[in-house]
Structures are given as C-alpha cells and as structure tokens.
Amino acid sequence: MAAAGRTVLKKEHDTTEWRAAMEALLLAVERGGPTMFARIGTIRALNRDHVPESNPKGKGPHWGRRKLKRDQ
C-alpha cells in the first residue's frame, strides 16, 4: 500500500493503525463500504507519530477586535 509517495515498511505493516486502515480499505473495495473511512484510516496511520503542538494560552488575540467605550 502506498500513500503520499511512501511505502509501508514491514515493521509498520503490523501496527494497529495500519491494520485498521487496511481493513477499512478492503471493506470499501470488496463490499462497497464508505471510502471516507479508508481515507481517514490511512491518514491516521501515516501521521501516527505526529504530536500536535499545543498552545497553553488557548486562542490567540483577535487583532481586529473593537474596543468598548468603557475600556477607552
């Protein structure tokens, strides 16, 4: 299985994420199942080592926010 120009290594082939992605892909191909599940599974398997960055402050400031008269 190749996705985004990357082939699956043998040791990655047996991970839980890749097994779920392959199962969803086979379901879509053989039984006409939802292709979106196969796509989501493949993307999750490709990005399984990626840790999203967290912003401890939450949302950033909105630079176009209007000021109230009481704050002027």
Side-chain angles (χ1 to χ4, degrees), residues 20-21 23-25 27-28 33-44:
E23 185 177 341
L25 185 62
L27 177 70
T35 56
M36 185 58 76
F37 290 159
R39 181 180 185 276
I40 291 170
T42 304
I43 291 172
R44 288 184 68 178

Side-chain angles (χ1 to χ4, degrees), residues 1-51:
M1 171 186 252
R6 179 181 160 191
T7 58
V8 180
L9 300 175
K10 186 66 175 172
K11 65 180 180 179
E12 289 182 348
H13 193 268
D14 294 331
T15 61
T16 308
E17 292 87 0
W18 278 110
R19 286 185 180 271
M22 288 186 281
E23 185 177 341
L25 185 62
L26 287 174
L27 177 70
V29 171
E30 292 176 351
R31 298 185 184 162
T35 56
M36 185 58 76
F37 290 159
R39 181 180 185 276
I40 291 170
T42 304
I43 291 172
R44 288 184 68 178
L46 284 171
N47 296 325
R48 67 184 170 88
D49 294 329
H50 175 71
V51 178

